[in-house]
Amino acid sequence: MPVYAWVATLALLAVIVFVDLRVIARRDGEVTLGQATKWVTFYVSLALAFGLVLSLTIGGRTGAEFFSGYITEYSLSVDNLFVFVIIMTKFAVPPFAQDKVLYLGIVISMALRAVFIFAGAALIAAASWTFYLFGILLIYTAVSLLRGDDEPEFGEYRVLRAMRRVLPMTRDYHRDRLSVRQDGRRHWTPLVIAVSAIALANVVFALDSIPAIFGLTQDAFVIFTANAFALMGLRQLYFLVGGLLERLIYLNIGLSAILAFIGVKLIIEALHGSHIDHIGSLALPEIGIVTSLGFIVAVLAASALASLGKNWIDEQRATS
């Protein structure tokens, strides 16, 4: 990817982060449904525009890889929202401070994910067997998700408990402030712990989602930007969907199918790279990016429609 593309993209992301921070700073109350809807629409439109620009300037394949990675990352990140709810409840974060907590936690995790992305790209470039490792990891994750072993839970990580012991901490929140001065000393508020929990949870989830996107493309630029746009839109999605997530009862099945598909795709690509094109009489197919994008969209649409249909049938039975 040309250097100017990196510079322009990082500048764009910095402007978005700055503007978003200014909006949060000026907001007095809780995030309303209308505000969340507008921001989700804005971020999705921004991602669509970015993908189209990539298609027109770099190439259609790069654009398709971005859209596939973005949709995959965004859909896999939905599980994060369950954990966000648990964190907000566990730490009793005031509603008016939740937007700031999510914002800071996601921005920090975005920087940490960048480390994983570039490390993964370097590992793949150095060793082709990484494809087998990532493929097996994704298939294992898919099976665990399907069996319900991957239900999102949150326990206070050891590092968070250590922060409580080390940092001078106030007992109560002070609106949305991260620190206050008491008795002539600077004290951190519990908001710092909540922000750290969000960031750590997002990094933990990256252990599944980043190998998945490497199954779609090995372009570090595409992987980084797809992650960035997905994470930036995730915060407002938290306020938009809220309790609606519980109605998507078949979402885990859809996500499991996507992870398994990408895992198999990675292993097939690794076999092709080892000049193995047949297993017995079975020819190994070439799975292109358009096929991957179509499969991801179709599976997500099917799981959403099936969930809505099941909810409708249950509601009809309850009222009859």
Side-chain angles (χ1 to χ4, degrees):
M1 190 62 61
V3 174
Y4 72 83
W6 277 103
V7 174
T9 301
L10 292 175
L12 172 65
L13 294 175
V15 169
I16 295 171
V17 169
F18 176 76
V19 171
D20 216 349
L21 181 60
R22 296 291 295 173
V23 170
I24 294 174
R26 293 179 179 179
R27 186 178 289 145
D28 294 328
E30 303 176 29
V31 178
T32 65
L33 184 61
Q35 290 172 334
T37 302
K38 291 177 182 178
W39 277 99
V40 168
T41 303
F42 168 75
Y43 276 119
V44 172
S45 301
L46 197 63
L48 291 175
F50 185 82
L52 289 175
V53 170
L54 282 182
S55 299
L56 295 173
T57 57
I58 307 299
R61 178 180 176 81
T62 301
E65 288 178 350
F66 171 80
F67 285 125
S68 298
Y70 171 73
I71 294 171
T72 299
E73 288 295 326
Y74 211 10
S75 58
L76 289 174
S77 295
V78 170
D79 267 358
N80 298 29
L81 301 183
F82 290 103
V83 179
F84 292 169
V85 171
I86 295 171
I87 290 173
M88 295 298 182
T89 303
K90 180 178 180 64
F91 293 111
V93 179
F96 54 80
Q98 291 183 5
D99 195 17
K100 186 173 184 178
V101 168
L102 287 171
Y103 171 82
L104 293 175
I106 287 173
V107 169
I108 293 171
S109 67
M110 195 186 306
L112 295 175
R113 280 192 179 205
V115 177
F116 280 97
I117 290 169
F118 292 114
L123 189 60
I124 285 177
S128 59
W129 55 262
T130 309
F131 278 74
Y132 293 106
L133 178 63
F134 281 2
I136 294 171
L137 173 63
L138 291 176
I139 294 172
Y140 171 79
T141 304
V143 173
S144 299
L145 192 61
L146 193 61
R147 292 171 53 189
D149 298 339
D150 198 40
E151 288 296 320
E153 298 177 354
F154 174 77
E156 191 168 339
Y157 300 107
R158 291 181 180 178
V159 65
L160 300 181
R161 293 198 294 269
M163 287 176 65
R164 286 186 182 276
R165 291 194 295 268
V166 173
L167 295 178
M169 190 79 60
T170 63
R171 293 179 59 88
D172 302 315
Y173 289 96
H174 292 260
R175 292 195 61 79
D176 62 349
R177 299 179 64 181
L178 294 172
S179 65
V180 293
R181 185 169 292 279
Q182 291 183 346
D183 302 325
R185 289 185 61 197
R186 177 67 62 182
H187 286 73
W188 300 98
T189 71
L191 213 65
V192 173
I193 302 295
V195 168
S196 302
I198 293 291
L200 284 173
N202 250 329
V203 171
V204 170
F205 273 87
L207 298 177
D208 291 339
S209 64
I210 288 179
I213 196 172
F214 269 114
L216 300 171
T217 177
Q218 284 81 58
D219 189 327
F221 178 84
V222 172
I223 296 172
F224 173 75
T225 52
N227 264 269
F229 281 101
L231 286 177
M232 286 192 298
L234 182 62
R235 187 179 95 253
Q236 302 300 338
L237 192 64
Y238 169 86
F239 296 103
L240 178 61
V241 299
L244 296 179
L245 288 174
E246 297 180 357
R247 299 174 64 84
L248 299 177
I249 55 178
Y250 296 127
L251 178 62
N252 275 4
I253 296 177
L255 295 178
S256 176
I258 291 172
L259 289 175
F261 170 79
I262 298 175
V264 171
K265 179 178 181 292
L266 268 175
I267 293 175
I268 290 176
E269 288 185 6
L271 291 171
H272 282 309
S274 301
H275 306 290
I276 300 174
D277 298 324
H278 292 78
I279 297 180
S281 59
L282 178 64
L284 297 177
E286 292 281 353
I287 304 176
I289 191 63
V290 175
T291 303
S292 299
L293 178 58
F295 179 85
I296 292 166
V297 172
V299 168
L300 288 176
S303 60
L305 290 174
S307 297
L308 295 175
K310 180 65 164 59
N311 288 322
W312 183 81
I313 293 173
D314 290 343
E315 290 171 0
Q316 294 300 311
R317 288 176 177 174
T319 55
S320 62

